[in-house]
Structure formats: C-alpha cells, structure tokens
Amino acid sequence: MSDASVKSSVPMVDAAGVSKSFGSNEVLKSITLQVQPGEVMCVIGPSGSGKSTFLRCINHLERVDAGRLSVEGELVGYRQKGGKLYELKPSEAALQRRDIGMVFQHFNLFPHMTALENLVEAPIRVKGISRSDAVARGRELLAQVGLADHANHYPAQLSGGQQQRVAIARALAMDPKLMLFDEPTSALDPELVGDVLDVMRGLAESGMTMVVVTHEMGFAREVGDSLVFMDGGVVVEAGTPRDVLSNPQHQRTKAFLSKVL
C-alpha cells in the first residue's frame, strides 16, 4: 500500500474522549467522533452546548483537559514520549495551526489593511512565500469568493458578507488541509448570508474537508455529509443530515429541531 493510500485512510479529525472545562464548568464531556478526508461535517446545537469550544480545540486555540485530538494522524498541541503527553511550545503549535484554516463568527480582519493585504500577510510571514506569488494567489482567491474588484478596499468599506468572504479567502491563502467554520453567517444580515454560503458550497464541491458549526439547517441538509447534534457538552445524536433532520431519534434533538426548522 502506498504512502498516499495509507494517509487517505487516516481520519482528518480524530477526537477520542475529548473533555474540556473552564473552572468548574465542564464544557466538553468525552467527545468522540471522526471526520474523514473530504467530508463536510455540520455541527448544530443550542448556545452553550460546546460546539465552538470543540472547534477551537481542533486547532489548539483551547487545550484539552482529557482525551486526544489528532488531525491527519498527528496529535494536536501535544507530542507523546514514553507513554506521556507533553504540550507543544507555542511556536510548535502555531506551525501545526497553519495547516488548519479557521473562519470566525466575527471576521477578525486587520482593519488597517486592504482585502488583498489581509490575504498576503500570513503566507509571506509564516510560509515564506514571495510577495509576488502571494499577491497573485491572493487575487485568485478574491476572484474565487466573488470579490476580484474589491482587492484595494479596506474592511470598513465592505459589507459584513464581503468581509466574511475575505476572511474565508484569507484562511484559504495558507492552503489548509482542513477548514473550520464557527457560525460564519450568524453575525450577518439575512440578505448577505447567501453569498457566504455559496462560497462554502463551492469549497465543499472542491473536496475541502470542513467542520462547520452552523444554524443554517438548509445548508447542513444540502451540503453536509454528516450532522452532529451537541447539547450539554456531549454528542447527543449523529448521522446523515437527512436522517437527523427528518427523523431524529433522541427527544432532545426533536425538541431543538422543533424550534429551528
């Protein structure tokens, strides 16, 4: 078996018994799930259910208290030595993180930089790509998200939906193997949501592995390969979007969906 086929058989995300507490508040309670390469997993659930915290643990923005999290077979945030886990240095964790794109609810663009400058900063500084190559790639990505003519606009000159599309393009500029979306449309006016979802739909069609925390049930049904319902820090129910949304098995899932569908 070739190296490529071995690698493709490894889950992109493998969470085993992942737990996380903030003080006495246990936010994640032994989460176990896998995301396969090329899969789009949508995660739904009420506020405070642990969805965003789990997403942040995948790229070690939050450290886990128990369990293990791997991306493409590599432990996230830790190395194992002699049966013990040791947390990576911040610089080592940052190196891991550059392969994982994350798009937040609030766009987190640099306000003093144009759209194009927001895209080229990290590839130049972190990956050592030449400015000319980074600019060429940045323009390609802005075109991909429908903003080719907004390269020289500053964030304040863009709508919320346009800023979020720039944020997606900025994450893609690092050529990630995995994209994480933390409720990317929840801060947007309703008429701006569609353009952002269209970009995400295109990414899914291109084969990008994605974990999407969302309230957009139509997107989850149409684009998701799998759907996870979380509540109270646990995975209550998981399956295909069609099965979970149309025929939920758990009473808590039924109660939640009755309010959002």
Side-chain angles (χ1 to χ4, degrees), residues 11 27-28 38 62 183 201 233 248 261:
V27 180
L28 299 177
E62 300 288 354
E183 300 191 17
R201 191 175 287 111
L261 289 180

Side-chain angles (χ1 to χ4, degrees), residues 38 52 61 145 214 229 232 240 251 253:
S52 294
L61 288 175
V145 300
T214 186
F229 172 63
T240 67
Q251 197 56 45
T253 318

Side-chain angles (χ1 to χ4, degrees), residues 21-249:
S21 296
F22 295 104
S24 60
N25 182 22
E26 193 177 10
V27 180
L28 299 177
K29 304 170 183 175
S30 197
I31 300 288
T32 296
L33 56 78
Q34 291 184 339
V35 184
Q36 302 303 325
E39 180 180 348
V40 177
M41 175 180 283
C42 293
V43 185
I44 63 172
S47 295
S49 59
K51 309 182 301 293
S52 294
T53 299
F54 178 65
L55 215 58
R56 291 171 66 84
C57 286
I58 293 175
N59 64 358
H60 204 59
L61 288 175
E62 300 288 354
R63 60 190 296 276
V64 302
D65 296 325
R68 291 175 175 232
L69 245 172
S70 299
V71 171
E72 214 172 40
E74 184 179 358
L75 274 174
V76 173
Y78 297 87
R79 73 161 56 86
Q80 183 168 340
K81 192 173 181 182
K84 288 187 175 182
L85 293 182
Y86 298 90
E87 189 167 10
L88 297 180
K89 297 174 185 174
S91 59
E92 294 171 316
L95 277 177
Q96 278 191 332
R97 202 176 288 126
R98 72 182 188 176
D99 292 326
I100 304 171
M102 186 156 184
V103 178
F104 299 88
Q105 182 175 344
H106 300 287
F107 326 118
N108 293 3
L109 297 175
F110 297 118
H112 61 290
M113 293 183 178
T114 65
L116 183 59
E117 288 168 345
N118 264 280
L119 265 65
V120 304
E121 181 76 2
I124 291 170
R125 285 180 177 269
V126 178
K127 297 190 98 170
I129 292 171
S130 72
R131 176 166 287 278
S132 59
D133 286 349
V135 166
R137 177 68 173 142
R139 291 190 182 280
E140 275 179 25
L141 288 167
L142 286 174
Q144 183 179 328
V145 300
L147 293 172
D149 55 348
H150 290 68
N152 296 320
H153 287 55
Y154 288 90
Q157 298 171 305
L158 302 172
S159 71
Q162 289 170 334
Q163 289 185 62
Q164 193 60 295
R165 284 185 278 155
V166 172
I168 294 171
R170 181 176 64 176
L172 292 173
M174 292 293 284
D175 290 322
K177 57 191 176 187
L178 169 66
M179 284 286 285
L180 310 175
F181 293 86
D182 189 6
E183 300 191 17
T185 60
S186 63
L188 301 180
D189 292 332
E191 68 268 22
L192 302 177
V193 167
D195 289 338
V196 173
L197 293 181
D198 283 345
V199 169
M200 294 171 63
R201 191 175 287 111
L203 275 182
E205 289 169 357
S206 76
M208 175 64 74
T209 310
M210 298 160 61
V211 183
V212 185
V213 172
T214 186
H215 293 296
E216 302 290 340
M217 299 300 160
F219 175 86
R221 186 191 296 270
E222 179 193 347
V223 180
D225 297 302
S226 58
L227 184 66
V228 170
F229 172 63
M230 286 181 65
D231 188 31
V234 300
V235 173
V236 176
E237 191 161 342
T240 67
R242 187 176 300 276
D243 286 347
V244 175
L245 294 175
S246 303
N247 188 28
Q249 300 300 302

